[in-house]
Amino acid sequence: MREDNLDRFGNYKQVVWSHPYYLSLTPLTIALESLIKKYGRGRTLDIGCGNKPYEEMFSGIATEYIGCDVVQSDQNKVDIISIATEIPLSDSSFDTVFSTQVIEHVEDHQALVKEAYRLLKPGGHFIVSGPLYWHLHEEPHDYFRFTKYGFKYVLERNSFSVMEILSNGGKWALMGQVIIHTMPARIVRIKLFRVLVNRIFSYLDNKYPNDFNTMNYVVVGKKEMQT
């Protein structure tokens, strides 16, 4: 059983140069902003919403923003307490389904994608992200990592048309994030250390882009109009 009132990520705007996950969250945020502007619309469901850290990105885009999660968050942002594979909402009731960095925590990730398809109106979009690289977290509920080909397979198997797949950060950003993950906690607690690593490896990642070894993917699937 997962604990209620978990301390969850609060808002993407909190990610500054000294943030320990700057190198992962910054490219993820850029990809999410781009795809939400392009595909987000109407009534929106956030599966695994936590504290709804990306809700602000839907401002002026979503007509309604509903969050569900398996437990309540520490900021009481969850509207519907439910497992991700059996959400008590009507078929074809959302224009957008959004789920970020959640799919790796769902034992039956195929069922999560199938549930997103059920809840979407024809013509609606599923915006989903998940890691290729990350350390174990929220143990023992940490089950999978996804390549872009794995994401494509899972979405297409559940009747989605894959519209776009964006990688989040390249090999240099990943290297910097690994350094922060592997250094002793007493070193990582030093703000100057975090800022230096983030700035150096962000610069290298921008100057020498290569997403062959990335941290995350953001994927958009479309529920095609019925004929």
Side-chain angles (χ1 to χ4, degrees):
M1 186 66 183
R2 306 192 192 193
E3 297 178 13
D4 268 342
N5 304 115
L6 289 175
D7 184 10
R8 306 292 290 277
F9 179 44
N11 189 297
Y12 70 97
K13 291 185 176 179
Q14 297 171 344
V15 180
V16 295
W17 283 110
S18 59
H19 197 288
Y21 299 150
Y22 177 91
L23 291 166
S24 173
L25 291 174
T26 299
L28 173 62
T29 294
I30 292 169
L32 289 173
E33 282 185 313
S34 170
L35 295 178
I36 287 167
K37 286 178 182 178
K38 189 171 182 180
Y39 296 102
R41 63 184 177 86
R43 194 165 187 249
T44 299
L45 175 68
D46 185 343
I47 298 178
C49 66
N51 283 321
K52 299 181 180 176
Y54 302 105
E55 181 180 13
E56 194 172 335
M57 289 186 186
F58 286 88
S59 177
I61 294 174
T63 56
E64 185 179 10
Y65 192 93
I66 298 170
C68 76
D69 210 320
V70 69
V71 294
Q72 186 56 264
S73 67
D74 59 303
Q75 295 179 19
N76 292 306
K77 291 289 188 75
V78 181
D79 303 302
I80 300 169
I81 305 294
S82 168
I83 62 173
T85 55
E86 297 179 18
I87 300 171
L89 296 169
S90 301
D91 295 359
S92 303
S93 54
F94 290 91
D95 302 288
T96 306
V97 173
F98 178 66
S99 184
T100 181
Q101 308 305 96
V102 171
I103 192 169
E104 74 271 22
H105 298 294
V106 180
E107 298 95 321
D108 188 350
H109 58 275
Q110 296 275 1
L112 182 154
V113 177
K114 184 179 294 185
E115 187 71 344
Y117 188 88
R118 178 186 72 81
L119 291 164
L120 276 171
K121 299 175 184 177
H125 292 95
F126 179 36
I127 304 172
V128 56
S129 76
L132 175 61
Y133 160 76
W134 205 247
H135 57 78
L136 287 171
H137 58 295
E138 296 189 25
E139 297 178 71
H141 306 288
D142 187 7
Y143 304 104
F144 301 102
R145 299 293 181 268
F146 296 87
T147 68
K148 59 183 177 182
Y149 305 107
F151 263 125
K152 186 174 186 292
Y153 172 79
V154 171
L155 265 68
E156 289 181 344
R157 184 177 180 183
N158 290 282
S159 303
F160 281 104
S161 296
V162 175
M163 307 303 291
E164 290 195 47
I165 301 177
L166 297 183
S167 58
N168 309 150
K171 63 181 182 181
W172 290 108
L174 188 150
M175 183 180 291
Q177 191 63 72
V178 170
I179 288 171
I180 289 177
H181 280 158
T182 54
M183 291 297 287
R186 67 180 185 278
I187 302 298
V188 176
R189 282 194 291 268
I190 300 171
K191 181 178 179 180
L192 180 60
F193 168 77
R194 300 193 305 271
V195 170
L196 285 174
V197 171
N198 287 336
R199 286 191 177 274
I200 289 168
F201 285 93
S202 180
Y203 168 80
L204 289 171
D205 208 56
N206 289 326
K207 188 171 180 62
Y208 306 106
N210 185 325
D211 65 357
F212 178 75
N213 201 5
T214 189
M215 279 178 279
N216 306 291
Y217 290 103
V218 181
V219 186
V220 179
K222 181 179 181 181
K223 181 175 181 177
E224 298 291 354
M225 301 294 291
Q226 298 169 348
T227 57

